[in-house]
Amino acid sequence: MRAVLNTDDGIRTVEVDEPGGAGIRLSVAAVGICGTDVMFADGGVTGFIYGHEFAGVDDTGNRYFVEPAIYGGECTECRSGNPQRCTEPGHGILGIHRDGGLAEAVVVPEYTLLALPSQLDVKDACLVEPGAVAWHAVRRAQARPGERMLVVGGGSIGLLAAAAARHQGLDADVDTRHGHQLAAAERLGFGHPSGAYDVVIDAAGSESSLARSADSARPGGRIVSLGVYRKTMPIPGTVSLVKELTYVNSIAYGRPEGVREVEEVASMLAKQPDIAQTVITHRFPIDEAREAFRVAGDRGAGAIKVVIEP
């Protein structure tokens, strides 16, 4: 079968063995390219099949999103509804720590599957994963009705965070950098930045976006960081100190009080098809994976979420 690997010659679609082992076999319908994937590709990370945002169809025609977290289920974190913090041996993420979904077929543990609502197209369901990352960040913010929220960053995570906030009964403005991101935010009905905010979600993950977040927060405000920093997180010192800002880190998603956050996001996407129609800007067949990665890494190409459809 065909799969996408990073090689000495960059991203390539190659022939690999069919997947085996215990689990449920899916024909992969769609895989989103994450910024992490682009970073891995640019950094020369090799040795496994990329793709942690994916959905597919089993041999009987049932449609599933795959929650890519692999965890043991017995540690304190797992039992408390935070499998993303699993401390047991062997935990990890499909497509990051082991083979993922950028292939024509996968075999995954049954517990990773989420049956899709009938209204959600399986080719849009790859948005559930980044949507859950965004949903979890909004929950971590612990925003109360009436509080003002700003999302810094108009990429897929930023737009999905604003959508998640609205779905959770909150209003959010979006601070975008590029024209196509602004157009997407306006299409989804999000406001423009103005004044100071109780909660700021940094969905861009850069030194400048973190500084912008601190500047936009009111005194005593909260900043939720979704950025992945390889070394030191560049928190602006003086403004954070003077304003007594609180920083909250957020990673992945879990099952608070027994409710899967990925299931909540799948429901949101099913009820609001305009989200997927706006956030997914490009679709490529698997044979054009190299071009798909190029577009995903080129902000000037007008991309928000680039999807490969094996």
Side-chain angles (χ1 to χ4, degrees), residues 54-303:
F54 63 105
V57 181
D58 71 9
D59 293 338
T60 62
N62 293 312
R63 305 170 311 115
Y64 295 101
F65 162 75
V66 179
E67 185 175 354
I70 301 299
Y71 54 88
E74 298 299 327
C75 69
T76 300
E77 291 297 336
C78 286
R79 292 199 302 271
S80 63
N82 297 302
Q84 75 276 19
R85 303 180 200 160
C86 179
T87 59
E88 298 173 59
H91 72 276
I93 304 293
L94 299 174
I96 293 180
H97 301 105
R98 62 197 72 185
D99 284 347
L102 257 175
E104 291 181 304
V106 294
V107 173
V108 298
E110 186 172 4
Y111 70 80
T112 66
L113 299 180
L114 173 70
L116 296 177
S118 59
Q119 306 98 314
L120 180 57
D121 191 320
V122 67
K123 291 187 176 182
D124 293 340
C126 55
L127 276 189
V128 172
E129 201 280 340
V133 170
W135 184 280
H136 184 70
V138 173
R139 176 169 276 145
R140 290 275 292 160
Q142 297 184 330
R144 297 176 293 274
E147 286 191 317
R148 303 191 73 217
M149 178 181 291
L150 176 69
V151 178
V152 176
S156 59
I157 294 290
L159 295 173
L160 289 165
R166 183 169 59 192
H167 203 75
Q168 294 179 37
L170 306 164
D171 290 324
D173 297 332
V174 180
D175 188 349
T176 62
R177 173 174 289 185
H178 303 285
H180 67 280
Q181 296 173 341
L182 174 60
E186 290 178 340
R187 178 182 177 186
L188 290 172
F190 305 135
H192 299 175
S194 65
Y197 292 85
D198 302 284
V199 176
V200 182
I201 294 179
D202 174 20
S206 68
E207 184 172 354
S208 61
S209 67
L210 205 54
R212 171 67 172 150
S213 297
D215 288 341
S216 300
R218 66 162 176 80
R222 305 184 299 286
I223 294 175
V224 181
S225 175
L226 282 174
V228 178
Y229 298 96
R230 295 186 180 185
K231 295 181 180 179
T232 302
M233 184 175 171
I235 293 175
T238 301
V239 67
S240 299
L241 179 65
V242 171
K243 288 185 177 181
E244 291 192 326
L245 300 178
T246 297
Y247 285 81
V248 179
N249 291 311
S250 181
I251 186 72
Y253 33 82
R255 304 184 180 205
E257 300 178 356
V259 179
R260 296 174 74 177
E261 288 179 306
V262 293
E263 185 170 1
E264 293 176 297
V265 173
S267 176
M268 175 184 74
L269 294 174
K271 293 175 181 177
Q272 301 180 51
D274 58 323
I275 296 175
Q277 292 166 7
T278 301
V279 173
I280 298 176
T281 54
H282 296 73
R283 297 180 187 267
F284 291 88
I286 194 169
D287 288 336
E288 297 179 18
R290 186 180 180 92
E291 175 65 5
F293 269 75
R294 186 198 67 77
V295 171
D298 180 6
R299 297 300 183 191

Side-chain angles (χ1 to χ4, degrees), residues 3-26:
V4 176
L5 294 175
N6 198 27
T7 71
D8 292 340
D9 191 33
I11 291 292
R12 285 287 182 267
T13 303
V14 300
E15 288 291 328
V16 300
D17 293 337
E18 288 283 338
I24 306 298
R25 185 184 190 280
L26 298 180

